[in-house]
């Protein structure tokens, strides 16, 4: 695989560095071609956000940290893009909140599952669920390979972090009574709209922040965390994230028209 040196002075150096990582993930057999396309969709929305973590995302991250900390049986669902972009943070976050980790793929092969497990273990994961025959239970209402669940993992969890997810599974997880937290740059996606808690941000920015937030909140009393969660309205926060994009575009188009 050829590695391109990204000049630090490039105005969009960070985004290009992430693309290099994505390229690596693809070469390692962790990401698929379809994953590359999904990444492109994410990039487009990140461009609209201005490639920053907006205040609505910061609030959602705090509440997500509280939700993971009070969960009885939290789990992080990992696909190829997540394993490529934030493997270290997944492992650290799981340790910090006592969550399990389960691989869940739309384009499921044992080879990919093992490549993802290897990647996560290289960052210190002890146990990775959802590999091959371990993931033997089918989720109702889903036909894709994402329906397979590990009986010791997602199936018995109460709270699931599903970054970069598809809407069908999010809806089914909710129907199964689980609290679903997602990280999704597209506030209009079905996942963003159906999750219990939506962080509209790039996973490469959101995961380190989420990790830090769980460290800060770890010793806070459960009642205070529960109160934070109670006061949060996901629909309102999501609406504000969309308004942020709309306002930013209106402002930007005014600048461009004036410059002509
Ligand atoms: P849905 O089924 O929820 O409507 P979709 O069909 O767009 O979503 P996918 O094609 O699986 O779902 O795409 C995954 C989602 O992940 C997209 O909404 C995309 O914007 C988002 N995404 C891609 N890359 C990132 C990233 N780096 N950080 C956060 N979100 C991302």
């Amino acid at each position: 695989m050829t590695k391109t040196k990204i000049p630090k002075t490039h105005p969009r150096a960070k985004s290009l560095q992430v693309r290099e990582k994505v390229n690596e993930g693809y070469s390692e057999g962790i990401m698929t071609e379809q994953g590359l396309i999904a990444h492109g969709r994410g990039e487009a929305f990140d461009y609209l956000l201005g490639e920053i973590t907006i205040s609505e995302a910061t609030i959602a991250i705090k509440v997500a940290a509280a939700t993971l900390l009070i969960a009885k049986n939290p789990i992080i669902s990992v696909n190829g893009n997540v394993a490529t972009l934030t493997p270290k943070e997944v492992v650290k976050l799981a340790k910090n909140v006592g969550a399990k980790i389960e691989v869940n793929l739309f384009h499921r092969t044992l080879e990919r599952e093992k490549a993802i497990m290897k990647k996560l273990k290289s960052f210190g994961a002890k146990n990775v669920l959802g590999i091959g025959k371990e993931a033997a239970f089918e989720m109702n209402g889903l036909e894709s390979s994402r329906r397979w669940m590990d009986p010791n993992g997602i199936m018995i969890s109460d709270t699931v972090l599903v970054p970069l997810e598809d809407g069908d599974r999010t809806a089914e997880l909710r129907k199964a009574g689980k609290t679903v937290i997602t990280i999704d740059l597209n506030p209009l996606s079905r996942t963003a709209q159906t999750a219990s808690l939506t962080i509209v941000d790039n996973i490469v920015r959101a995961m380190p922040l989420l990790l830090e937030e769980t460290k800060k909140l770890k010793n806070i009393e459960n009642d205070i965390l529960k109160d934070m969660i109670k006061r949060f309205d996901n629909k309102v926060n999501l609406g504000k994230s969309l308004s942020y994009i709309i306002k930013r575009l209106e402002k930007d188009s005014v600048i461009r028209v004036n410059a002509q």
Side-chain angles (χ1 to χ4, degrees), residues 138-195:
E138 287 184 68
M139 193 189 298
N140 286 334
L142 269 192
E143 284 183 16
S144 78
S145 288
R146 291 200 134 171
R147 71 186 184 277
W148 296 106
M149 291 183 287
D150 193 305
N152 296 311
I154 289 172
M155 197 175 140
I156 56 163
S157 66
D158 60 348
T159 301
V160 199
L161 172 62
V162 286
L164 283 55
E165 183 55 50
D166 61 49
D168 297 8
R169 191 163 78 115
T170 306
E172 291 307 325
L173 288 168
R174 295 269 340 245
K175 273 191 212 157
K178 300 180 194 300
T179 300
V180 181
I181 304 170
T182 194
I183 302 171
D184 191 329
L185 276 161
N186 177 5
L188 298 168
S189 81
R190 291 173 306 153
T191 304
Q193 305 265 337
T194 45

